Amino acid sequence: MGSKIKFLILFLIICFSTVVAIWGCTELKRSRPILPLKEYERMIAGRLDAEYVGTDNCLSACHEHDDIRASFEASTMGVQLKRESGLPLVDCESCHGPGSLAIKGITKELVEENLKKGIKTKCNYKTLIDINNLPPPAQSLICLKCHTGNATFNLHEWNAGIHAINDVSCFDCHQVHRSPDLKVRPIETAEMCFKCHEDLKSYYRLRSHHPVLEGKMFCTDCHDPHGTTVEYLLRKPSIKETCTQCHGEKEGPFIYEHADLTDDCLSCHNSHGSPNNNLLIMREPFLCLQCHEGHRINTPTGETFSSGVKEFFYRRCTDCHSQIHGTDLPSPTGKGRFIR
Ligand code: HEC
Ligand code: HEC
Ligand code: HEC
Ligand code: HEC
Ligand code: HEC
Ligand code: HEC
Ligand code: HEC
Ligand code: HEC
Ligand code: HEC
């Protein structure tokens, strides 16, 4: 009898969990995307009742956009029109949305007729995607439908990047119709970035700075504007690796290391610019005196200084501790004091 009740209880539990599971699944199915799908499609595709007609039909009656067309067709995206590459076809409608409504009723004859009257025929561009006024994430989606993380590798972390999160869109940096040349030259990047990060420009005018304004290195040597999993959009996995890609001699490992300080070069250096020599965050000896006491030393000759007393060395510590980033050679007393 006891076992019958146990069996019944077990049976009820199974029934109950099945019901809960099914209910849970339907609930899951019902969970909604953040935007109503229709709204979202409308944002991206433009008018849903419009058809795609192709660049030739779009522009057959129109000479207004000849320049845009010419430079676009000469660009890396435009040459895809020839379809030889097997890459996705890119034409005006890929970004501006289906165009049939925009050109409805416009014929070559009408255009010429109007021209004689001195009127410019405009297409009904209000039926196209209002590309400039989309919310930034939707602007980027226009590009990302082709430039997925797999197709354009450095866009892999786009969505996690601080730029995407802060509503910076592809359009803010890339101007598709600027010229046939879509490549971004490293030398152009500083101006591109200063558009929004103007405050940093002042660092590059300080006495010690990385030669970015001089065109010898670039914001993109250290940062990937498309987003990375590392903080500050760094390309390399850490600050140290960011720096030692160019300053390899500071990388170590050394037999005598400066504790773990050199794991973060920014304990002592600024990355962009500084009023102090060598991009230091603080002048010597104050830099060192944050963590150490000044000291007097007994040199082998018992050397004294101009004032006649053995002084504390509140001066440039690295005059003697010249291997401050680490060394393999011990000091005369066999310790690691970075003096050679
Ligand atoms: C890869 C996406 C893309 C493609 C392809 C594209 N455009 Fe654009 N177009 C844009 C973006 C983004 C803007 C708005 C920002 C700007 O003006 O650069 C724009 C703006 C325009 C403008 C308004 C320019 C202005 O000065 O206000 C016209 C006209 C235009 N495009 C025509 C065309 C024509 C014609 C084609 C095909 C030959 C084409 N576009 C293909 C993305 C694209
Ligand atoms: C319909 C597909 C498609 C869309 C939409 C699209 N692209 Fe492209 N894009 C391509 C293809 C294909 C290439 C050429 C192959 C390549 O370099 O990946 C290309 C090339 C580029 C290049 C040049 C790469 C190089 O090495 O020269 C840039 C920059 C670019 N696209 C930016 C954009 C931006 C910004 C947008 C959104 C306004 C956009 N693309 C929208 C398909 C697309
Ligand atoms: C903050 C500025 C910025 C934003 C935003 C941005 N890019 Fe870029 N993009 C660049 C720079 C700079 C380069 C040059 C190559 C490099 O150093 O990564 C580049 C390169 C590219 C390239 C390769 C072509 C080349 O010149 O090597 C493609 C394709 C591209 N970007 C597409 C996109 C797309 C798509 C988006 C939006 C999802 C986007 N970018 C957003 C700045 C930006
Ligand atoms: C030598 C490598 C390097 C170069 C070149 C570089 N950065 Fe940085 N940047 C860093 C590092 C490291 C950090 C993080 C620590 C810090 O704030 O200094 C950083 C931080 C930043 C920050 C966020 C913190 C802040 O101070 O606002 C911005 C924005 C930035 N960089 C933009 C730029 C721009 C724009 C350029 C080009 C003009 C540039 N960086 C050139 C290494 C570099
Ligand atoms: C359209 C404006 C815009 C442009 C152009 C732009 N940024 Fe930014 N950037 C932002 C915004 C917004 C943030 C968010 C944080 C903030 O408010 O500074 C940001 C943040 C950053 C950060 C800080 C990341 C962090 O973790 O604190 C770095 C680094 C950075 N950008 C580098 C660049 C570089 C390099 C370029 C040029 C290739 C560039 N940005 C171009 C708007 C822009
Ligand atoms: C892309 C290469 C590159 C990267 C990455 C780089 N540097 Fe530099 N660094 C340079 C160049 C180039 C100079 C200028 C050398 C010269 O003028 O002789 C320089 C100079 C310096 C100087 C001396 C400045 C002076 O006023 O003499 C210091 C200190 C420095 N870098 C520290 C760093 C730190 C810290 C990092 C990491 C945040 C870093 N560097 C990343 C290329 C780089
Ligand atoms: C404990 C403070 C401290 C740390 C941490 C530190 N530095 Fe330095 N660095 C200095 C001082 C002080 C100088 C100037 C005197 C000298 O050259 O010895 C200097 C000078 C430099 C110079 C320019 C002179 C030269 O020797 O080429 C570069 C480049 C440099 N450091 C790179 C780095 C890098 C890269 C890291 C991180 C791996 C780093 N520093 C970490 C204190 C430090
Ligand atoms: C952020 C703190 C910090 C700064 C700044 C700093 N140090 Fe150090 N330093 C340390 C630490 C921690 C040790 C390891 C102490 C130990 O092992 O007993 C160390 C070790 C040393 C040693 C070896 C001491 C020993 O007992 O073997 C010398 C020499 C030294 N530092 C000199 C300097 C000089 C010169 C500067 C300025 C250019 C400087 N330090 C800047 C924290 C700092
Ligand atoms: C005139 C050369 C000289 C100057 C300048 C100098 N030091 Fe030293 N320092 C030495 C010598 C030599 C030793 C002992 C080396 C040994 O043990 O073999 C030493 C040892 C040290 C030690 C480890 C011994 C201890 O006292 O614990 C530290 C830490 C140190 N110095 C920090 C500094 C700081 C910080 C400054 C700048 C305020 C500085 N030194 C300036 C030559 C100098």
Side-chain angles (χ1 to χ4, degrees):
M1 143 114 185
S3 75
K4 250 190 197 168
I5 289 184
K6 267 191 211 152
F7 181 76
L8 195 67
I9 291 176
L10 191 67
F11 180 72
L12 282 177
I13 288 177
I14 291 173
C15 286
F16 181 70
S17 11
T18 318
V19 169
V20 168
I22 292 173
W23 175 74
C25 287
T26 36
E27 238 355 70
L28 267 183
K29 254 193 200 158
R30 223 180 286 158
S31 71
R32 298 196 175 82
I34 297 164
L35 268 176
L37 199 58
K38 233 177 163 181
E39 225 18 56
Y40 173 82
E41 259 177 33
R42 199 170 287 133
M43 267 188 341
I44 296 302
R47 285 277 291 268
L48 292 178
D49 51 342
E51 298 294 331
Y52 289 95
V53 293
T55 291
D56 284 341
N57 287 325
C58 266
L59 300 180
S60 62
C62 169
H63 295 290
E64 245 350 87
H65 302 322
D66 282 354
D67 286 348
I68 288 184
R69 180 180 191 165
S71 71
F72 181 72
E73 284 179 358
S75 73
T76 30
M77 280 200 281
V79 292
Q80 307 304 322
L81 269 173
K82 297 186 187 101
R83 265 186 191 283
E84 281 147 12
S85 60
L87 289 164
L89 175 77
V90 197
D91 63 12
C92 312
E93 291 171 300
S94 314
C95 296
H96 291 287
S100 64
L101 295 178
I103 56 166
K104 202 168 169 187
I106 301 181
T107 57
K108 272 206 171 97
E109 293 73 43
L110 179 74
V111 173
E112 268 154 38
E113 196 95 333
N114 279 347
L115 210 57
K116 275 183 209 144
K117 295 186 216 150
I119 307 171
K120 268 193 196 167
T121 318
K122 282 193 182 142
C123 68
N124 187 6
Y125 57 81
K126 294 222 163 72
T127 62
L128 298 171
I129 296 179
D130 188 4
I131 202 161
N132 282 315
N133 295 317
L134 290 178
Q139 291 182 332
S140 294
L141 275 173
I142 290 179
C143 314
L144 290 169
K145 67 184 175 184
C146 299
H147 292 280
T148 58
N150 287 335
T152 306
F153 193 75
N154 43 2
L155 288 168
H156 224 73
E157 308 291 351
W158 170 257
N159 288 315
I162 193 160
H163 277 149
I165 291 168
N166 281 275
D167 276 357
V168 177
S169 94
C170 316
F171 300 4
D172 286 321
C173 296
H174 293 281
Q175 290 164 288
V176 174
H177 295 309
R178 183 188 55 167
S179 75
D181 187 6
L182 297 172
K183 263 251 174 302
V184 181
R185 304 258 169 304
I187 195 88
E188 298 163 5
T189 52
E191 278 316 312
M192 180 190 264
C193 309
F194 287 143
K195 241 183 14 187
C196 301
H197 298 291
E198 212 194 341
D199 50 323
L200 281 179
K201 205 166 184 171
S202 56
Y203 285 92
Y204 284 100
R205 299 218 177 88
L206 295 174
R207 165 158 129 186
S208 172
H209 58 264
H210 269 130
V212 169
L213 296 183
E214 291 81 351
K216 290 185 188 152
M217 59 189 285
F218 315 104
C219 311
T220 44
D221 285 337
C222 298
H223 299 289
D224 186 343
H226 297 118
T228 67
T229 46
V230 187
E231 56 175 354
Y232 302 119
L233 297 174
L234 294 181
R235 278 184 193 275
K236 298 282 175 184
S238 68
I239 301 270
K240 183 171 182 173
E241 284 166 84
T242 299
C243 307
T244 52
Q245 62 176 316
C246 298
H247 301 293
E249 76 287 355
K250 307 282 190 287
E251 185 175 3
F254 300 106
I255 294 175
Y256 302 103
E257 305 217 328
H258 201 156
D260 54 2
L261 270 192
T262 33
D263 284 350
D264 184 354
C265 312
L266 306 184
S267 319
C268 300
H269 295 288
N270 277 340
S271 34
H272 302 121
S274 159
N276 309 310
N277 280 336
N278 289 302
L279 286 168
L280 290 175
I281 54 176
M282 212 182 272
R283 271 175 40 217
E284 283 190 70
F286 308 108
L287 174 72
C288 317
L289 293 175
Q290 293 177 96
C291 306
H292 297 286
E293 288 182 345
H295 65 88
R296 61 195 288 176
I297 58 157
N298 299 316
T299 59
T301 54
E303 179 186 349
T304 52
F305 289 89
S306 48
S307 58
V309 281
K310 287 182 185 170
E311 280 181 295
F312 286 91
F313 290 106
Y314 291 120
R315 53 172 187 157
R316 255 180 55 127
C317 316
T318 47
D319 283 348
C320 301
H321 299 283
S322 59
Q323 305 303 312
I324 200 65
H325 301 95
T327 176
D328 291 336
L329 300 175
S331 64
T333 57
K335 303 212 174 80
R337 263 94 197 235
F338 318 125
I339 49 186
R340 58 178 183 171

